[in-house]
């Protein structure tokens, strides 16, 4: 289902540059996607410290007249998209994905299929065990995970992305979250040092994905799967 309301909601959240009330409402809805049927405009007003006028204004951003219309459309689109997601993943063949990965290496040594499969399973287990998945990094490669983000939000696993900010004030890091840092060159460690150190010292489960293994080795002991290395971005 192209351009479903879930796609639009996630795109709006990702592209919002300021953490204003509209961004907060989008975040709240994504974070409570499993409770969307019971969420009311009044509850959002209370939990997001805003007004009914603002909640309805937010709803109109997506072409709906008020929050009830927004919610009903979101529920309907989620049902359709969930069927599509499960059908797509049921028909996913890891061997075919591995062939795509090998071809993308352009002659460089590729990881052994069993080893790569074990890494994928490890990350899948971490995702399953946690309540929410938070990705950290630059706009690229975070832009590559949009479909992943939409799919998992659809099935009830909130996924958020965070890029470095000059006015960084700290992240709300929960122990039952999974923090995944995507940094092709490993430069996130130095260019977003405050953000990285907060994640590093937090109680969240952690994964670092990078081409540059030597950059992250210093920090390896504090990560659940500290350095998942790949030679070429394939997902």
């Amino acid at each position: 289902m192209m351009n479903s309301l879930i796609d639009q909601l996630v795109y709006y959240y990702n592209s919002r540059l300021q953490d204003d009330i509209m961004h907060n409402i989008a975040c709240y809805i994504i974070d409570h996607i499993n409770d969307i049927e019971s969420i009311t405009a009044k509850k959002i007003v209370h939990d997001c410290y805003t007004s009914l006028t603002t909640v309805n204004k937010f709803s109109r951003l997506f072409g709906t007249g008020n929050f009830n219309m927004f919610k009903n459309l979101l529920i309907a689109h989620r049902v359709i998209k969930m069927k599509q997601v499960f059908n797509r993943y049921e028909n996913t063949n890891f061997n075919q994905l591995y062939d795509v990965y090998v071809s993308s290496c352009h002659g460089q040594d590729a990881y052994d299929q069993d080893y790569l499969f074990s890494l994928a399973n490890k990350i899948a287990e971490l995702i399953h065990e946690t309540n929410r998945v938070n990705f950290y990094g630059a706009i690229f490669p975070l832009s590559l995970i949009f479909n992943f983000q939409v799919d998992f939000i659809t099935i009830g696993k909130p996924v958020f992305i965070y890029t470095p900010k000059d006015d960084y004030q700290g992240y709300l890091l929960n122990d039952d979250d999974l923090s995944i840092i995507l940094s092709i060159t490993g430069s996130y460690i130095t260019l977003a040092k405050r953000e990285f150190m907060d994640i590093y010292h937090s109680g969240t489960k952690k994964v670092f994905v990078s081409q540059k293994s030597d950059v992250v080795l210093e920090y390896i002991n504090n990560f659940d799967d500290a350095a998942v290395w790949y030679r070429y971005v394939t997902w």
Side-chain angles (χ1 to χ4, degrees):
M1 184 178 188
M2 297 296 293
N3 296 322
S4 72
L5 186 53
I6 296 180
D7 291 79
Q8 295 176 46
L9 178 64
V10 174
Y11 181 81
Y12 178 84
Y13 168 82
N14 289 351
S15 60
R16 196 74 177 174
L17 297 178
Q18 296 181 332
D19 293 333
D20 58 13
I21 186 58
M22 295 300 185
H23 183 270
N24 292 344
I25 293 174
C27 179
Y28 180 89
I29 293 171
I30 292 172
D31 207 22
H32 295 82
I33 191 67
N34 288 318
D35 304 314
I36 189 62
E37 289 86 354
S38 61
I39 291 177
T40 63
K42 185 177 181 180
K43 181 169 178 56
I44 294 179
V45 168
H46 177 270
D47 292 351
C48 294
Y49 304 98
T50 187
S51 66
L52 180 60
T53 299
T54 300
V55 173
N56 285 330
K57 182 179 179 181
F58 172 86
S59 303
R60 288 194 292 273
L61 291 174
F62 301 90
T64 56
N66 55 50
F67 180 72
N68 282 337
M69 295 173 64
F70 172 89
K71 181 176 78 169
N72 290 336
L73 187 60
L74 184 63
I75 292 171
H77 281 193
R78 187 186 180 200
V79 170
I80 297 171
K81 197 165 186 68
M82 192 175 295
K83 293 179 181 177
Q84 295 174 336
V85 170
F86 281 117
N87 181 66
R88 185 170 356 108
Y89 282 98
E90 283 177 355
N91 291 289
T92 297
N93 185 306
F94 184 79
N95 291 327
Q96 292 177 343
L97 291 178
Y98 182 76
D99 290 341
V100 173
Y101 158 71
V102 171
S103 66
S104 71
C105 290
H106 298 292
Q108 298 183 57
D109 292 337
Y111 284 121
D112 174 76
Q113 182 172 352
D114 291 338
Y115 174 71
L116 195 62
F117 186 68
S118 69
L119 288 180
N121 272 339
K122 175 61 176 177
I123 296 176
E125 289 172 3
L126 290 172
I127 292 173
H128 177 71
E129 293 168 0
T130 50
N131 290 336
R132 178 171 47 192
V133 181
N134 301 317
F135 282 87
Y136 304 89
I139 293 176
F140 182 87
L142 290 187
S143 58
L144 298 173
I145 71 163
F146 178 78
N147 289 334
F148 171 93
Q149 187 181 15
V150 171
D151 286 352
F152 274 76
I153 290 170
T154 297
I155 64 175
K157 179 74 68 171
V159 177
F160 297 97
I161 67 171
Y162 300 93
T163 55
K165 295 184 177 180
D166 292 336
D167 59 346
Y168 172 70
Q169 300 296 319
Y171 293 130
L172 180 61
L173 298 166
N174 300 313
D175 289 354
D176 53 3
D177 289 349
L178 171 62
S179 298
I180 301 179
I181 299 174
L182 297 183
S183 181
I184 296 175
T185 64
S187 60
Y188 186 88
I189 293 175
T190 54
L191 298 181
K193 188 171 183 177
R194 291 178 300 169
E195 290 94 326
F196 174 77
M197 294 308 296
D198 280 352
I199 298 168
Y200 175 77
H201 289 296
S202 73
T204 68
K205 294 183 181 300
K206 311 170 190 72
V207 172
F208 198 113
V209 182
S210 178
Q211 285 179 317
K212 301 293 185 180
S213 59
D214 55 325
V215 176
V216 298
L217 283 177
E218 177 184 352
Y219 303 93
I220 196 169
N221 292 330
N222 201 43
F223 278 73
D224 293 277
D225 202 348
V228 179
W229 303 302
Y230 56 88
R231 292 177 174 79
Y232 208 83
V233 178
T234 60
W235 56 73

